Amino acid sequence: MDDRASIDPRAAPAAGAGWGWILGYGVLSVVLGVLAFLNPFAATYAATLVIGAFFIAAGLVSIAAGFAGKGHEGRSYAIGFGLLSLVVGLLMAFNPVSGALSLTLMVAVWLGVRGALEIGLGMRFKRGRGLMIALGVVNLLLAIYVFATLPGSALTLPGFILGISFVFGGVTSVAAALNHRKGAAAFAAPAL
């Protein structure tokens, strides 16, 4: 144990500090991924409802901010954005099929961007490079697959894709946690 860290809060944490949190995140991701993979319709439906609720909440807050911001130049934008968000959220909540199609498109874009970022980050790693690059490639391939199977697969495909992504992300986090426990930097690119 590093006694300096317990005495001086400005001291650098001991090597491997916090590895349990990374491990916990990884294990939880694997569990959620397996559950989503086992019941992809439920995972798609749940994700559609959660995202719909987010849009509804964001819309209501934006509308309230617009009406409360008398004299502010962004007032009409806040109200317009709020109304748009509210309509999208209500459509996702009360028409989950169209919401699932929209969600499928969002998941495909998210997977593509995530995959590209993971490949770029993996290229900078010294440890875990291959696993991070593999994760990025898997997510890019999943994005391509989603786009190729639309619109017929919109009700189950997001659940499968989220399940696979969570499992691979969780395995990557577990591996990073175990390396970090041994003293390696957690998810850190090598110093330049």
Side-chain angles (χ1 to χ4, degrees):
M1 180 173 160
D2 187 356
D3 291 330
R4 292 179 309 127
S6 62
I7 297 170
D8 184 3
R10 296 171 298 180
W19 71 272
W21 288 102
I22 300 168
L23 180 66
Y25 167 77
V27 170
L28 180 62
S29 289
V30 169
V31 169
L32 290 175
V34 168
L35 290 174
F37 193 72
L38 291 175
N39 196 344
F41 177 77
T44 300
Y45 186 74
T48 302
L49 292 179
V50 167
I51 292 171
F54 171 78
F55 275 111
I56 291 169
L60 292 173
V61 169
S62 187
I63 291 169
F67 280 115
K70 293 179 181 170
H72 189 273
E73 60 195 30
R75 182 174 188 217
S76 61
Y77 167 79
I79 293 170
F81 173 75
L83 288 172
L84 176 64
S85 297
L86 187 59
V87 167
V88 168
L90 289 171
L91 285 172
M92 291 184 85
F94 292 107
N95 188 358
V97 173
S98 68
L101 181 59
S102 300
L103 178 62
T104 302
L105 290 170
M106 286 189 288
V107 166
V109 170
W110 174 76
L111 285 167
V113 171
R114 177 182 176 180
L117 291 173
E118 288 163 345
I119 290 170
L121 183 61
M123 300 292 249
R124 296 176 50 200
F125 276 9
K126 285 187 178 178
R127 284 191 180 171
R129 173 183 290 202
L131 195 54
M132 184 60 78
I133 291 172
L135 176 61
V137 168
V138 165
N139 282 326
L140 279 177
L141 292 174
L142 290 172
I144 292 166
Y145 182 73
V146 171
F147 280 121
T149 59
L150 285 174
S153 59
L155 291 180
T156 57
L157 194 57
F160 278 124
I161 299 301
L162 289 171
I164 292 168
S165 182
F166 273 105
V167 167
F168 273 88
V171 169
T172 302
S173 293
V174 167
L178 296 177
N179 280 334
H180 185 50
R181 181 179 181 201
K182 296 175 187 172
F187 294 114
L192 299 176

